[in-house]
PDB file of all heavy atoms in Angstrom:
ATOM      1  N   LEU A 955      40.087 -32.089 -26.901  1.00  0.00           N
ATOM      2  CA  LEU A 955      41.320 -32.850 -27.097  1.00  0.00           C
ATOM      3  C   LEU A 955      42.588 -32.013 -26.944  1.00  0.00           C
ATOM      4  O   LEU A 955      43.684 -32.545 -27.010  1.00  0.00           O
ATOM      5  CB  LEU A 955      41.303 -33.535 -28.467  1.00  0.00           C
ATOM      6  CG  LEU A 955      40.263 -34.651 -28.603  1.00  0.00           C
ATOM      7  CD1 LEU A 955      40.286 -35.232 -29.996  1.00  0.00           C
ATOM      8  CD2 LEU A 955      40.468 -35.738 -27.572  1.00  0.00           C
ATOM      9  N   LEU A 981      40.934 -38.389 -37.488  1.00  0.00           N
ATOM     10  CA  LEU A 981      42.027 -38.031 -36.588  1.00  0.00           C
ATOM     11  C   LEU A 981      41.529 -37.878 -35.154  1.00  0.00           C
ATOM     12  O   LEU A 981      42.180 -38.334 -34.212  1.00  0.00           O
ATOM     13  CB  LEU A 981      42.696 -36.739 -37.058  1.00  0.00           C
ATOM     14  CG  LEU A 981      43.881 -36.262 -36.222  1.00  0.00           C
ATOM     15  CD1 LEU A 981      45.000 -37.303 -36.242  1.00  0.00           C
ATOM     16  CD2 LEU A 981      44.387 -34.921 -36.701  1.00  0.00           C
ATOM     17  N   GLN A 982      40.370 -37.269 -34.971  1.00  0.00           N
ATOM     18  CA  GLN A 982      39.807 -37.113 -33.624  1.00  0.00           C
ATOM     19  C   GLN A 982      39.504 -38.467 -33.000  1.00  0.00           C
ATOM     20  O   GLN A 982      39.736 -38.680 -31.815  1.00  0.00           O
ATOM     21  CB  GLN A 982      38.535 -36.265 -33.678  1.00  0.00           C
ATOM     22  CG  GLN A 982      38.763 -34.805 -33.960  1.00  0.00           C
ATOM     23  CD  GLN A 982      37.463 -34.058 -34.158  1.00  0.00           C
ATOM     24  OE1 GLN A 982      36.436 -34.626 -34.506  1.00  0.00           O
ATOM     25  NE2 GLN A 982      37.502 -32.744 -33.938  1.00  0.00           N
ATOM     26  N   LYS A 983      38.997 -39.386 -33.796  1.00  0.00           N
ATOM     27  CA  LYS A 983      38.692 -40.723 -33.282  1.00  0.00           C
ATOM     28  C   LYS A 983      39.957 -41.415 -32.788  1.00  0.00           C
ATOM     29  O   LYS A 983      39.985 -41.986 -31.699  1.00  0.00           O
ATOM     30  CB  LYS A 983      38.035 -41.574 -34.369  1.00  0.00           C
ATOM     31  CG  LYS A 983      36.661 -41.120 -34.771  1.00  0.00           C
ATOM     32  CD  LYS A 983      36.153 -41.962 -35.929  1.00  0.00           C
ATOM     33  CE  LYS A 983      34.838 -41.463 -36.460  1.00  0.00           C
ATOM     34  NZ  LYS A 983      34.339 -42.285 -37.569  1.00  0.00           N
ATOM     35  N   SER A 984      41.004 -41.376 -33.590  1.00  0.00           N
ATOM     36  CA  SER A 984      42.233 -42.054 -33.195  1.00  0.00           C
ATOM     37  C   SER A 984      42.889 -41.369 -32.006  1.00  0.00           C
ATOM     38  O   SER A 984      43.422 -42.038 -31.111  1.00  0.00           O
ATOM     39  CB  SER A 984      43.201 -42.152 -34.365  1.00  0.00           C
ATOM     40  OG  SER A 984      43.635 -40.878 -34.767  1.00  0.00           O
ATOM     41  N   VAL A 985      42.858 -40.032 -31.954  1.00  0.00           N
ATOM     42  CA  VAL A 985      43.438 -39.308 -30.813  1.00  0.00           C
ATOM     43  C   VAL A 985      42.663 -39.630 -29.537  1.00  0.00           C
ATOM     44  O   VAL A 985      43.257 -39.814 -28.467  1.00  0.00           O
ATOM     45  CB  VAL A 985      43.461 -37.790 -31.091  1.00  0.00           C
ATOM     46  CG1 VAL A 985      43.771 -37.005 -29.835  1.00  0.00           C
ATOM     47  CG2 VAL A 985      44.463 -37.469 -32.176  1.00  0.00           C
ATOM     48  N   LEU A 986      41.347 -39.729 -29.635  1.00  0.00           N
ATOM     49  CA  LEU A 986      40.531 -40.040 -28.458  1.00  0.00           C
ATOM     50  C   LEU A 986      40.842 -41.440 -27.927  1.00  0.00           C
ATOM     51  O   LEU A 986      41.007 -41.631 -26.719  1.00  0.00           O
ATOM     52  CB  LEU A 986      39.057 -39.911 -28.807  1.00  0.00           C
ATOM     53  CG  LEU A 986      38.077 -40.127 -27.669  1.00  0.00           C
ATOM     54  CD1 LEU A 986      38.304 -39.091 -26.577  1.00  0.00           C
ATOM     55  CD2 LEU A 986      36.662 -40.061 -28.175  1.00  0.00           C
ATOM     56  N   VAL A 987      40.953 -42.409 -28.821  1.00  0.00           N
ATOM     57  CA  VAL A 987      41.274 -43.777 -28.395  1.00  0.00           C
ATOM     58  C   VAL A 987      42.661 -43.821 -27.765  1.00  0.00           C
ATOM     59  O   VAL A 987      42.876 -44.451 -26.727  1.00  0.00           O
ATOM     60  CB  VAL A 987      41.156 -44.755 -29.579  1.00  0.00           C
ATOM     61  CG1 VAL A 987      41.707 -46.121 -29.212  1.00  0.00           C
ATOM     62  CG2 VAL A 987      39.721 -44.876 -30.021  1.00  0.00           C
ATOM     63  N   LYS A 988      43.616 -43.152 -28.390  1.00  0.00           N
ATOM     64  CA  LYS A 988      44.980 -43.114 -27.860  1.00  0.00           C
ATOM     65  C   LYS A 988      45.024 -42.438 -26.495  1.00  0.00           C
ATOM     66  O   LYS A 988      45.731 -42.878 -25.588  1.00  0.00           O
ATOM     67  CB  LYS A 988      45.893 -42.374 -28.835  1.00  0.00           C
ATOM     68  CG  LYS A 988      47.374 -42.544 -28.548  1.00  0.00           C
ATOM     69  CD  LYS A 988      48.244 -41.749 -29.515  1.00  0.00           C
ATOM     70  CE  LYS A 988      48.016 -42.192 -30.935  1.00  0.00           C
ATOM     71  NZ  LYS A 988      48.886 -41.489 -31.896  1.00  0.00           N
ATOM     72  N   LEU A 989      44.239 -41.373 -26.326  1.00  0.00           N
ATOM     73  CA  LEU A 989      44.175 -40.652 -25.060  1.00  0.00           C
ATOM     74  C   LEU A 989      43.639 -41.545 -23.945  1.00  0.00           C
ATOM     75  O   LEU A 989      44.222 -41.618 -22.858  1.00  0.00           O
ATOM     76  CB  LEU A 989      43.292 -39.408 -25.221  1.00  0.00           C
ATOM     77  CG  LEU A 989      43.067 -38.534 -24.000  1.00  0.00           C
ATOM     78  CD1 LEU A 989      44.361 -37.804 -23.652  1.00  0.00           C
ATOM     79  CD2 LEU A 989      41.952 -37.543 -24.264  1.00  0.00           C
TER      80      LEU A 989
END
Side-chain angles (χ1 to χ4, degrees):
L955 292 178
L981 181 62
Q982 289 173 337
K983 292 175 186 181
S984 65
V985 168
L986 183 61
V987 170
K988 193 182 300 183
L989 178 70

